[in-house]
Amino acid sequence: MSGATQSTAVSTGRITRTLIYLVLLLFALFYLLPFFVMVVNSLKPLDEITGGNMMSLPQTWTIQPWLQAWSSAQIGVEPTGLRPYFLNSLLMVVPAVAISTGLGAINGYVLTKWRFRGDNIIFGLLLFSCFIPFQIVLIPMATILGKLGIAGSIPGLVLVHVVYGVGFTTLYYRNYYAAFPTELVRAAMIDGAGFFRIFWRILLPVSGPITVVSVIWQFTNVWNDFLFGASFGGQSQPMTVALNNLVSSSTGVKEYNVHFAGAILAALPTLLVYIVAGRYFVRGLMAGSVKG
Amino acid sequence: MGFLDISNVTKSYGKTEVLHRVDIGVEEGEFLVLVGPSGCGKSTLLNMIAGLEDITGGDISIRGRVMNGVHPSKRNIAMVFQSYALYPNMTVGQNMTFGLEMHGVPKPERDKALTEVAALLQLDKLLDRKPGQLSGGQRQRVAMGRALVREPDVFLFDEPLSNLDAKLRVDMRTEIKKLHAKLKTTIVYVTHDQIEALTLSTRIAVMNDGYVQQLGTPKEVYDTPANIFVATFMGSPAMNIIPAQVAMQDGAPHAVLTNAAGETVQLRFSQENMVDWVGRDILLGLRPEALTDPEGADRKSQNIAALSNPVAVAEPAGSDTFVTMTLGGRDVIARLRADTSVTPGTSFDFAVNMEKAVAFDPETERRIPA
């Protein structure tokens, strides 16, 4: 009797499990298909794409489109490839992420452990910045960048992204540090540690998970941003703008294989960040809400 | 002038005053316990001594130096927190020497202090562990060690044992007492546990509603509580408070009350001055151990009164048997020897140690001084 129910339970368990895996597999395929098409076609000569099936594997494998996209494709008027723009993006994203994450961490620390009158209002105002649509600030931002003399430069883009990112990073760190016991800060105060010493020695060493979240979030947003790059990039346009110039150029033959290679190149850094730090991402997102 | 002087200290949040004119002088080597229910202001007072909260009015001075506005790290104090507040990213050794490092003590001296304290608290083998790998009792010892290496003027303990399980709490209590006896340090200790207060302290400040209700030695607080709050807060089970009248009988003042059977009982006071209260209502305070079986009564007492009363409930607790009954219309608990045989529902002859009885003014709830 009990043996029968048990085996029924086991077999139903197996059926559900198989079903779940089937559905998961289906979704994985669904999401991987576009990527498959991009990779496959970036490794074909152009005539194979124009003359044949998009889905099929290349008959002659070639990395020519990749080299072309990287170093010699026509971007706007210059045949420079995406390389200089990739560099622009890197020069923009690294300081922008570092500064906004650092500021967010200090803001979170102050807002939770050095409470002052009106701190919640300040936090609320900072949160506002998360909800302001980008388009609204374009013109005032252009004016400010012009007055500061950093319009059309990488420092200008860094400033824009830091300003926009600080709301989010502050939110992350504030919620993370809210769960951090204040008694520890008090103990460190009695031990004689000052404002920055407490931050550096007590809080930062346990901020790994939320830092990963903040870095991934900021990196993806800054790297993938198109609007600010196109509006304020000037001579130092980021990768996204260059990719657009490459893909939507209206003259000459559309080199789809080069476009695919370029698109993958543009997406590669964010992909890499996710693969390397992704598992900390979920862990860090949960850490603020559930203590542990 | 004491070693640690709390004079006229008040604390307000906005317009609400939460501590009212607290005056406590602590001598060097004293173990002062601040005890009271939650919200009584004891932790606030401790935080003010530590410098973690501002002082609204009055002065706090240590070794004659006024500490108002002085940064916590410059008061030469050390604090043990309820949650231990160990730095999770540092090893036990680093945790204990962090304060010395912040105060610029050179490494060899730090290591020397660490070795000494680690040996004292039997932490030698744990120095390289992280707090997360320690048990509750070990964390507690590390927290104390961290306070000890600093060699501060005053140790502040904020409910240090309340996160431990019952057995460990008793062990650590003894350990703290031993440590105090050995090191003769000055300690201010906050707890809501009256047993901790009675066992550890050299003096107790019982607090309620932001007032110090009574400041005295454990014996004073236990035997001659200043008011009904102190009487019922200190001691477990709590002191019985029984409504009674005072009447003269054979030339001595007696407490007159009714037992559960509706009979009048007269108990002679030891305090002569109760004569002044003849004809008036009082509240009679009797500790459960002053209400016992005749064989268990205090042999040294000069004034044992007999009292016959029906028993409602008997609870054998191993070392004692607790009896609940009605006296003067209130539930009253008596503490009998463990092997006394009592049958609920029947009458039992109790012995009342009237030497230990106290009387309270029902209007002010203060004890009527003997």
Side-chain angles (χ1 to χ4, degrees), chain A residues 183-184 188 191-192 197 201 205, chain B residues 83 85-87 89 101-103:
Chain A
E183 281 196 343
L184 278 172
D191 271 344
R197 205 81 81 98
R201 295 280 301 267
Chain B
S83 66
L86 302 178
Y87 312 126
N89 55 310
E101 189 193 333
M102 290 299 118
H103 280 82

Side-chain angles (χ1 to χ4, degrees), chain A residues 119-150:
Chain A
D119 52 357
N120 273 327
I121 296 171
I122 301 240
F123 178 55
L125 290 175
L126 272 168
L127 274 191
F128 242 179
S129 75
C130 303
F131 305 115
I132 297 175
F134 285 13
Q135 293 81 349
I136 290 180
V137 299
L138 281 183
I139 292 172
M141 189 68 90
T143 319
I144 289 172
L145 289 179
K147 286 211 169 117
L148 290 174
I150 47 175

Side-chain angles (χ1 to χ4, degrees), chain A residues 178-191:
Chain A
F180 187 87
T182 304
E183 281 196 343
L184 278 172
V185 176
R186 296 185 147 197
M189 265 170 82
I190 292 178
D191 271 344

Side-chain angles (χ1 to χ4, degrees), chain B residues 86 101 116 131 136 175 219 248 323 349:
Chain B
L86 302 178
E101 189 193 333
E116 276 171 24
E175 223 166 299
K219 189 170 168 49
M248 288 302 275
V323 164
D349 289 324

Side-chain angles (χ1 to χ4, degrees), chain B residues 41-169:
Chain B
K42 56 191 191 299
S43 288
T44 309
L45 184 58
L46 192 77
N47 284 337
M48 284 159 83
I49 300 171
L52 298 169
E53 300 230 24
D54 292 331
I55 300 163
T56 312
D59 290 322
I60 290 178
S61 52
I62 299 172
R63 281 180 183 268
R65 192 160 76 101
V66 176
M67 288 297 174
N68 298 28
V70 175
H71 191 269
S73 65
K74 304 223 161 68
R75 299 187 177 206
N76 203 15
I77 47 142
M79 190 152 168
V80 177
F81 292 89
Q82 182 176 354
S83 66
Y84 319 133
L86 302 178
Y87 312 126
N89 55 310
M90 300 183 200
T91 63
V92 168
Q94 287 165 337
N95 256 289
M96 286 167 66
T97 52
F98 185 71
L100 294 178
E101 189 193 333
M102 290 299 118
H103 280 82
V105 177
K107 183 117 190 8
E109 280 176 49
R110 282 183 345 228
D111 288 344
K112 190 164 159 283
L114 177 64
T115 326
E116 276 171 24
V117 173
L120 180 71
L121 293 172
Q122 293 141 32
L123 288 169
D124 333 45
K125 292 191 179 68
L126 306 175
L127 290 180
D128 293 323
R129 299 243 194 116
K130 291 276 176 71
Q133 299 164 302
L134 302 178
S135 69
Q138 289 168 334
R139 282 182 213 183
Q140 171 65 54
R141 286 217 300 278
V142 176
M144 285 203 291
R146 187 169 65 179
L148 282 173
V149 282
R150 298 266 311 278
E151 296 189 359
D153 289 336
V154 182
F155 285 91
L156 307 174
F157 286 77
D158 189 3
E159 310 220 7
L161 303 183
S162 41
N163 280 5
L164 300 175
D165 63 60
K167 187 180 177 327
L168 202 52
R169 193 178 308 168

Side-chain angles (χ1 to χ4, degrees), chain B residues 255-276:
Chain B
V256 182
L257 42 100
T258 31
N259 71 3
E263 301 151 359
T264 305
V265 183
Q266 301 205 339
L267 304 166
R268 182 170 66 80
F269 278 112
S270 286
Q271 299 94 320
E272 296 293 330
N273 66 331
M274 287 310 294
V275 173
D276 306 343

